[in-house]
Amino acid sequence: VSVQVQPHPSAENVWFKDLVGAKLGVWVAHGEGRFTTSQNSVLRYVSPFEGGKDDMYPTNPNGSVDGTAAMLSDDGRVLGMMPHPERCFKGWQTPGKEFSGYTPWILLFENAFHWCNSKKKC
């Protein structure tokens, strides 16, 4: 599916700080699950053709309200998400794209790593 990273009001957006505005493909593996709030939404399912938020299956596979695919805590440190970027951070894992090396999803993990190292909390 396609998702777009949304701006988040947190001053410390640990996860997505280098990805705001990016439209990316990502794998999903849902059996169930449905977000019912758009509060603190940082990732939204979008139409791969029109680019706008999507509330309909199959491009919004769990029918989440307002296309919500991921949420962040108010402080930007705790992430809850349904898609699986850990399954497509290398170019060969991404369907329909020709990436060499890593995809932009690697930034999600690098951002968390660098934040932990800067805070000495890892």
Side-chain angles (χ1 to χ4, degrees):
V1 298
S2 295
V3 293
Q4 183 174 26
V5 180
Q6 306 297 309
H8 188 269
S10 170
E12 189 165 51
N13 183 342
V14 173
W15 302 90
F16 292 98
K17 67 179 182 169
D18 301 320
L19 292 167
V20 174
K23 292 180 185 174
L24 304 165
V26 66
W27 290 108
V28 292
H30 298 0
E32 56 188 51
R34 183 172 185 254
F35 287 126
T36 57
T37 180
S38 61
Q39 182 178 1
N40 292 332
S41 176
V42 70
L43 195 65
R44 288 207 168 103
Y45 296 110
V46 294
S47 168
F49 306 107
E50 293 116 28
K53 71 179 177 182
D54 204 331
D55 294 330
M56 304 297 291
Y57 181 84
T59 51
N60 178 344
N62 59 9
S64 62
V65 174
D66 210 22
T68 299
M71 297 170 59
L72 281 176
S73 61
D74 289 338
D75 64 8
R77 296 176 4 185
V78 179
L79 171 65
M81 68 187 312
M82 293 299 289
H84 292 273
E86 76 282 2
R87 295 181 179 183
C88 55
F89 69 91
K90 289 193 173 183
W92 61 267
Q93 298 171 307
T94 305
K97 297 284 185 182
E98 294 294 327
F99 285 106
S100 60
Y102 294 98
T103 72
W105 282 116
I106 194 67
L107 293 173
L108 184 79
F109 305 104
E110 287 178 350
N111 288 341
F113 174 80
H114 292 303
W115 182 84
C116 284
N117 276 341
S118 73
K119 302 295 183 183
K120 306 292 186 224
K121 295 189 185 236
C122 288

